[in-house]
Amino acid sequence: MSIRDITIALAPGTPEWPGDTPFSCAWAWRMSRGDSVNVSAITSSPHVGTHADAPLHVHDAWPGADELPLDAFHGPAVVCSVPAERDLIELADLGALPSEPVERLLLRTRCSVAGGRFPQRWPALSPAAAEALVQNGLRLLGTDAPSVDPRTSTDLAVHHTLFRAGACNLENLDLHAIADGPWELTAYPLKIAGADAAPVRAVLRPLRR
């Protein structure tokens, strides 16, 4: 079975949300300086690159990244392309969305940081569409954009809708080479105690028929 890596690498220059802490990698120990091993020291916001937000990201009293439910991040998923020119996406805009309930939905907006730049805008589900999906069993919403909410959002309505329902999210996926349709997703977040987000290594495999 072919594994498709849909993770954006953490590297110097990986675009961060404007004003957030960029990724950097220094060295605490170097063999070239006479140390016995190489040991790196990483500084970064957990929102750089491919990551899962924790409910703590939008509410002080909600759980951190170490409490994210792992079963939400593994299992059947559907990739759906969305109209890039739209700002808010309704369910009718998701041509690849099947009629039966979907537990994991990955939106291919083509507005990704994978190209090396932070996008000025991107399409996102409307709060009503997000509410309809979680009421119908959605457990995880992913996107190749930097956020499941629009860039200009201040109330983060989609985040709140997901987290209130016990659902999760994935942001900054790399779906540029992924076809619409069913896949098997594995994207476990790191267990970082008390953090508001955690990096993930996200991969897709074709579903066995």
Side-chain angles (χ1 to χ4, degrees):
M1 299 295 287
S2 174
I3 294 178
R4 307 290 293 276
D5 191 350
I6 57 170
T7 312
I8 291 175
L10 287 171
T14 300
E16 74 278 4
W17 193 285
D20 203 356
T21 304
F23 176 88
S24 64
C25 181
W27 294 94
W29 297 348
R30 292 301 301 265
M31 295 178 70
S32 61
R33 297 196 300 252
D35 297 317
S36 58
V37 290
N38 293 315
V39 176
S40 56
I42 293 172
T43 300
S44 180
S45 164
H47 298 273
V48 178
T50 307
H51 65 277
D53 288 338
L56 178 63
H57 182 48
V58 297
H59 197 297
D60 282 340
W62 287 357
D66 55 314
E67 298 181 67
L68 287 168
L70 294 182
D71 54 353
F73 295 91
H74 175 74
V78 175
V79 175
C80 283
S81 295
V82 301
E85 69 277 4
R86 297 285 298 274
D87 289 325
L88 290 182
I89 302 301
E90 305 298 341
L91 296 186
D93 298 315
L94 302 177
L97 189 69
S99 57
E100 64 269 16
V102 171
E103 290 192 345
R104 298 166 191 86
L105 175 63
L106 309 181
L107 301 179
R108 186 171 179 257
T109 71
R110 303 176 183 85
C111 298
S112 169
V113 303
R117 294 183 179 181
F118 194 89
Q120 294 300 308
R121 54 160 300 280
W122 53 83
L125 284 183
S126 72
E131 182 66 37
L133 287 167
V134 297
Q135 291 297 322
N136 206 28
L138 185 76
R139 303 181 65 195
L140 180 139
L141 175 64
T143 180
D144 60 355
S147 176
V148 294
D149 278 291
R151 178 172 178 168
T152 56
S153 174
T154 56
D155 61 3
L156 299 178
V158 174
H159 281 79
H160 282 271
T161 297
L162 294 172
F163 295 144
R164 278 197 304 266
C168 301
N169 75 11
L170 288 171
E171 297 173 335
N172 280 337
L173 296 168
D174 184 357
L175 299 175
H176 79 276
I178 303 300
D180 285 1
W183 296 83
E184 181 187 73
L185 171 72
T186 302
Y188 294 129
L190 292 181
K191 192 173 184 178
I192 306 177
D196 67 300
V200 306
R201 184 67 178 264
V203 300
L204 292 174
R205 292 195 303 175
L207 279 175
R208 289 184 174 88
R209 298 293 186 179

